[in-house]
Amino acid sequence: MSSRAALRLRTLQGHLGSPEGRGMESVSSPLTTHVLDTVSGLPAQGLCLRLSRLEDHGQQWTELRKSYTNPDGRCPGLLPPGQVKTGTYKLSFDTEGYWKERGQESFYPYVEVVFTITNETHKFHVPLLLSPWSYTTYRGS
């Protein structure tokens, strides 16, 4: 099987919920994200993102992780098990950098998705559908 065909198969498996298509995300990270570029219809590979948690003292954001989306638009191991605490979190996506890399002007320089975790035992999935002029997010499963 060609590497291109293998990538398409892994992408399809991930969308269909096959464990083989989800890599280590499904096993090790209780927090996942998946970014899709709605202009190309493909996963947004190489998009820089930062995960932060709001700390009680002084209402300051503490950065927990900086990472980049993989070829499937996902970020495996975003928040390792045991590091989940109840509280408010923020995923910041560098959308301006992503679109500049593609020679595309964009309206939103970054997208911040702020959410609250109230149960440390649940899994949380934050999908982002992205274009240079709009974005959509929701709590996924």
Side-chain angles (χ1 to χ4, degrees):
M1 177 182 316
S2 75
S3 62
R4 188 175 167 136
L7 175 61
R8 286 195 310 262
L9 178 60
R10 280 193 307 274
T11 300
L12 181 59
Q13 287 171 330
H15 291 292
L16 294 176
S18 167
E20 298 85 36
R22 287 185 263 154
M24 62 188 245
E25 275 186 307
S26 63
V27 175
S28 67
S29 185
L31 174 64
T32 57
T33 188
H34 189 200
V35 185
L36 296 174
D37 176 336
T38 60
V39 172
S40 68
L42 298 171
Q45 178 180 357
L47 185 132
C48 180
L49 62 106
R50 296 172 192 273
L51 172 66
S52 302
R53 182 175 46 234
L54 189 61
E55 300 299 336
D56 290 340
H57 51 83
Q59 296 294 297
Q60 296 290 319
W61 289 103
T62 300
E63 186 173 306
L64 303 175
R65 175 123 195 251
K66 175 183 176 184
S67 192
Y68 294 85
T69 55
N70 67 14
D72 190 35
R74 299 175 189 269
C75 190
L78 189 57
L79 188 61
Q83 284 192 358
V84 177
K85 298 180 192 175
T86 58
T88 303
Y89 291 79
K90 173 173 66 175
L91 278 170
S92 298
F93 299 89
D94 177 15
T95 53
E96 182 176 55
Y98 175 80
W99 293 117
K100 277 186 177 178
E101 283 273 322
R102 284 143 187 82
Q104 173 69 52
E105 181 184 347
S106 66
F107 183 68
Y108 298 102
Y110 57 90
V111 170
E112 290 187 336
V113 180
V114 179
F115 54 97
T116 302
I117 292 178
T118 58
N119 187 326
E120 298 169 0
T121 64
H122 289 173
K123 292 195 179 270
F124 303 91
H125 184 61
V126 182
L128 180 66
L129 305 176
L130 187 61
S131 90
W133 316 114
S134 67
Y135 64 91
T136 301
T137 188
Y138 54 94
R139 175 159 183 200
S141 58

